[in-house]
Amino acid sequence: MLLTRIQKSAQRYPDAVAVQMKAGEGYLRLTYQDLLRQVASLAASLKELGIEKGDRAAVLSENRPEWMVAYLAVVAAGGVIVPLDAQLMAKEVELLLASAEAKAVFVSAACQGKLPRGSSITIVSFDPGYGRLFSDVQKAHPGAALPPSLGADVFAALLFTSGTTGDPKGVMLSQGNLASNVDSVVDLKIAGPGDNLLCLLPLHHAYPAMGCMLLPLSIGATVTILNSLKGPDILSCMKVTRVTAVIGVPQLFTGLRRALFDEIQKKPRIVQMLVRVLLGLNGLLRRYADINAGKVFFSAAHAAFGPRFRLFASGGARLEPDVQRDMTELGFTIIEGYGLSETSPACTFNQLKKQKAGSIGVPLPGVEVTIINPDENGRGELAVRGPNVMLGYYKKPHETAEALRDGWFFTGDLGYRDREGYFFITGRSKEMIVLPSGKKIFPEELEKVYKRIPAIKEFCLIESERGLEAAAVPDFEYLRKMNLPNSRETIAFQMEDLAKDLPPYQRIMGLKIFKGPLPVTNLGKLRRKKVRELYWKEGERIDKPVQAVHDDLLNDATMKKLLVCLGPYSAKKNIAPEDNLELDLGLDSLARVELIVSLESAFGVRLPDSFGAEVFTVSDAVKKLKALAMAEPVTGPGREQTAWSTLLSQEPAEEAAGPPALESGPFWKAFRFAAKNVLSFLFLVYGRLSVRGAENLPPNGPYLLAPNHLSLVDAPALIASISWNVLSQTFFLGTTVFFGGPVSSRMAGHIQVIPVDIDARLYRAMQMSAYVLRRGKILCVFPEGGRSRDGETKEFKKGVGILARELNIPVVPVAIQGTYEMLAAGKRFPRPTKVTVTFGKPFSPGGLDYDGIVKKLREEVVAMLEGRP
């Protein structure tokens, strides 16, 4: 049934190009005659692979013609196709194959490594080297005819709406579901036989499978596959192949609109004013006279898309109304539709001649859409009825019964219908998060993954323009047990480590830590709206009045001394015993060191090394101090500078393995020299390394090198960028995560790395840093204290300012670019990309205080990153 229209297309246009894909310098093309012959031959071969009617066969691959042939052949033979996301991790692939009970899988070379080893599943590979070769299987029955048409109720496709861990939900679509949706979209007359549709989206989604495969092949159009999202590649392909329509997601069109308007902003002011007038004029002409003058007014912009281009189609997520309006005024036609995997997928579409920005349009022919239980404003849940509605969820009768009621599919989306019958989405009753890229996230499932992190007690995903962000409540008991007082740094690092096994769109781009429990219902379910409200109250901190129950503790002599010592390090006025030193008082690792020195001075006793890691709250500190029976007068003003000058003047303690070796032995010196040359070669070839401002580096120390921190390859890039003379004098601060083991810590001493434990031993690292600097060496410090998770420069910490000020040594600002793209946080393997290292001019502390030095340093680094002098 589903292939009937495609057969007719092959009969009418046997020699027309059905599908083509960019391959090298040219294009691989299949005519309709070729396509149908390959589908029929493969369908006849499926029995030999053990695939009978009703059996599941998966396809795991990037877009390519073979993907379409496999999909259509399985459906034609009465099997069930299971399209899988090529970005899934190996564990997810194994879970979904098992859940679908797939008997075979069609796979590309790029995805072969994700298949479960030792499985009995039949593997058919599009590329040589693994399993049965697709071309051999496909050619086994060259003269075969296409199987007879099947009934509308035959199970045809199983689409998983989630691919994370847990219990995946599979949407069952029948031949009739898909065929009816094709017919409905065909009736809109959006495209015809002469069209060429550009396929940029992965075909495993229902939306591109319909728009870039089933629809165009049913009307005799051409599908052009391009596995690149780079602007120049897209424009080149559109011109060469004479594309007429692009099927995309809002993220693509938002970026396109931004690029077009950025070019306008570069024009002289008078030109910008003229453009605004023409935009408004064309908007009026299109709205009231159905005249599109934009192709004349903005001919240069239209020419970039090729001579035959006429249409953008947006789906998969909400298109912002201003994007639609701006593109329309520029003279482009961009239509938005709405649907879900459960509806095959399309339900509504904006009419070509009558569009409404922000609307999802009107129902497709043969499809009914209604609002269930509307409120006084007409807003309620959207429900859909029609032949496109799924059979149900695979082996999930309970979920099916919840979603399908009285013949209606309850979408879980909230919206309303205007007087002209156009529908608008206002929110979601279900918890699904749709990212700007169109990727759908089921929060509860992904939250379960992140809650595996032992330092996290509560966790809630938040949707933002950048992607996913998160609100987290630390597990303070675990942190106490592990002596990890810096909850935010601990959680962020563990999240980055976990993200290595997740697709990019499931990684967290922003994080906020909450001390108290997140809002929940009486049944313990997260009140997500309330969590979001709390999350976006940036910087708000309300000082609670001190409770009377703490009167005794507040009047305690030890507590009073502690409060005096805490005063300079926290902006909070009414400090309470239950306040967390990090989350309530804002003490970072350096402030803890300062506090410890202040307490030692105030109480006249040396605190144990573990004090900073064992104390989480004010009351913890009081109890610990009481146990040590301290009671000496408090020191006077000027404590901060006196504390650091005293601390940095002291030699590193012997129990801390003593001071670092200032000179390496012959073997390690040769090792470092060889490593420097290897890294220089690798970055020159793999990173096209560009070094600027090397003449600004003084030939001898002491001074500080202070670069921004984007990636684990920042230090290697810096090593590759400086001369051996400078490198031989340079020490690096390195986290104990990498240099804290029995072997790695010993090796660190030989390669001039000073291990830093920001939780418990930071003051020792500061002492060792001062030690090497006082002896004329160079020290490389990353002032941000950790890698950037989004490529943006974070705030600089005060440590570099303390060292520069107290030792009165210059600082060299360093700007590193390209390493985030090469190896972002969470990535396993670097990719080739251009890397630039720029050295600024050194500056001395002069009369600046710690914060002033750090502020000046960051300003200079950011200026170099932005290309400002």
Side-chain angles (χ1 to χ4, degrees), residues 195-212:
D195 277 303
N196 177 5
L197 283 72
L198 181 61
C199 178
L200 300 170
L201 306 176
L203 287 167
H204 72 273
H205 284 300
Y207 165 48
M210 176 60 64
C212 298

Side-chain angles (χ1 to χ4, degrees), residues 31 86 341 386 498 508 637 690 720 782-783 805 835:
T31 66
S341 297
L498 180 97
I508 306 302
S690 173
F782 290 96
R805 176 68 185 153
V835 173

